[in-house]
């Protein structure tokens, strides 16, 4: 099963993608997580990506597409995957389709997690991310067992660099301009599935699993 997660920053793509990956035993591939790992390891890619991410801008398509296509060709992705944060522009979606069609494959579902802009700011200001493993929490909606400490690996939780209110506003406007057109793109392909992302995390997941079967 090949699934794409669509939705605004903070809509809950990562939260739901992790659960989908577990339930269907497919890898969760998040371009944001890949870039953050590269920033942490101070790679050349990380240094380039950081200049865009810190401003709330998209990393240029040419730095993203090959990376993802390469990742999808790895052994663990042969039975499918859940893509979180990719594609994010029409050229990325077209590049993905081209790469898949070479293997006579295509995306099965594009799940759009819908959350109004007004709710996004609360989600982002309360989000805490693990400094080591990238796990994501929320101070109110999904608190860790011990404040400031990751349940999964015990490392410190931090506020993501791009979760400052000014940067969130920029990410939202970039989303509406460059990523929202993908909803029409996948509607045209007949694979869009819309889910109300304002419900609790478990309800959102139930709605998604009803769709995926
Ligand atoms: P990325 O890491 O993908 O960030 P994003 O799309 O802005 O989305 P987020 O990860 O912030 O939110 P999410 O939807 O995963 O929400 P989450 O589940 O954490 O990308 C970061 C940057 O990398 C981009 O800005 C760009 O620069 C670059 N980049 C990445 N991919 C790229 C690409 N393809 N092309 C170009 N550039 C790219 O949830 C948010 C919070 O809400 C959490 O605290 C969570 O606990 C809480 N929450 C989740 N669901 C619920 C719920 N139902 N109810 C209450 N709270 C909830
Ligand atoms: Mg995410
Ligand atoms: Zn952790």
């Amino acid at each position: 099963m090949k699934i794409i997660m669509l939705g605004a920053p903070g809509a809950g793509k990562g939260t739901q993608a992790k659960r989908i990956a577990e339930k269907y035993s497919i890898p969760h591939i998040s371009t944001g997580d890949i870039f953050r790992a590269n920033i942490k390891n101070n790679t050349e890619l990380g240094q380039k990506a950081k200049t865009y991410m810190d401003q709330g801008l998209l990393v240029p398509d040419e730095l993203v597409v090959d990376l993802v296509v390469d990742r999808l060709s790895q052994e663990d992705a042969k039975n499918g995957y859940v893509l979180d944060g990719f594609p994010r522009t029409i050229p990325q979606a077209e590049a993905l389709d081209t790469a898949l069609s070479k293997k006579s494959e295509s995306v099965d579902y594009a799940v759009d997690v819908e959350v109004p802009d007004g709710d996004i700011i609360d989600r982002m200001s309360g989000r805490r991310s693990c400094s080591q493993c990238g796990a994501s929490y929320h101070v109110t909606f999904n608190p860790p067992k011990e404040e400031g400490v990751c349940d999964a690996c015990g490392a410190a939780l931090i506020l993501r660099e791009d979760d400052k209110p000014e940067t969130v506003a920029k990410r939202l406007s970039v989303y509406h301009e460059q990523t929202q057109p993908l909803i029409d793109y996948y509607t045209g392909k007949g694979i869009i599935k819309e889910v109300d992302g304002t419900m609790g995390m478990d309800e959102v997941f139930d709605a998604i699993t009803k769709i995926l079967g």
Side-chain angles (χ1 to χ4, degrees):
M1 189 149 45
K2 301 183 191 68
I3 305 162
I4 288 172
M5 302 301 289
L6 295 175
K13 301 181 296 296
T15 302
Q16 299 300 330
K18 272 201 187 73
R19 295 183 179 202
I20 294 169
E22 264 171 44
K23 181 171 164 82
Y24 297 96
S25 304
I26 50 178
H28 166 209
I29 301 175
S30 157
T31 41
D33 288 352
I34 294 172
F35 287 136
R36 281 184 288 277
N38 274 275
I39 291 172
K40 194 160 168 277
N41 296 327
N42 204 21
T43 67
E44 201 186 326
L45 175 67
Q47 288 170 4
K48 282 186 192 155
K50 187 175 179 359
T51 61
Y52 298 95
M53 289 169 73
D54 285 354
Q55 296 178 69
L57 302 172
L58 295 185
V59 174
D61 291 340
E62 55 272 25
L63 292 180
V64 187
V65 170
D66 292 350
L67 176 109
V68 174
V69 170
D70 180 63
R71 178 67 188 83
L72 300 186
S73 68
Q74 288 173 24
E75 183 62 20
D76 67 335
K78 69 176 191 306
N79 294 325
Y81 36 78
V82 51
L83 275 174
D84 160 15
F86 181 94
R88 237 180 169 98
T89 62
I90 295 283
Q92 289 181 18
E94 289 171 347
L96 175 64
D97 282 344
T98 305
L100 290 180
S101 65
K102 281 183 193 152
K103 300 188 275 186
S104 308
E105 293 178 357
S106 61
V107 176
D108 298 303
Y109 300 102
V111 177
D112 176 31
V113 184
E114 293 195 336
V115 176
D117 287 9
D119 296 0
I120 296 288
I121 309 291
D122 290 346
R123 295 244 182 130
M124 302 304 227
S125 57
R127 172 164 57 188
R128 296 293 179 273
S129 307
C130 177
S131 54
Q132 291 301 319
C133 76
S136 164
Y137 301 87
H138 191 283
V139 290
T140 318
F141 306 130
N142 181 26
K145 291 195 185 79
E146 190 184 335
E147 196 187 321
V149 179
C150 179
D151 291 348
C153 77
L157 300 181
I158 51 165
L159 188 66
R160 233 168 73 179
E161 196 72 43
D162 58 350
D163 279 351
K164 288 180 282 194
E166 345 45 288
T167 317
V168 170
K170 182 67 196 167
R171 284 162 62 199
L172 270 173
S173 77
V174 166
Y175 166 76
H176 289 301
E177 234 168 77
Q178 304 195 52
T179 307
Q180 214 169 18
L182 293 177
I183 295 174
D184 282 344
Y185 181 89
Y186 288 112
T187 301
K189 296 193 175 289
I191 59 166
I192 199 89
K193 301 288 172 189
E194 301 199 323
V195 171
D196 176 4
T198 63
M199 302 182 292
M201 291 172 201
D202 293 343
E203 285 78 16
V204 176
F205 187 58
D206 283 347
I208 293 175
T209 51
K210 281 208 181 75
I211 292 165
L212 303 179

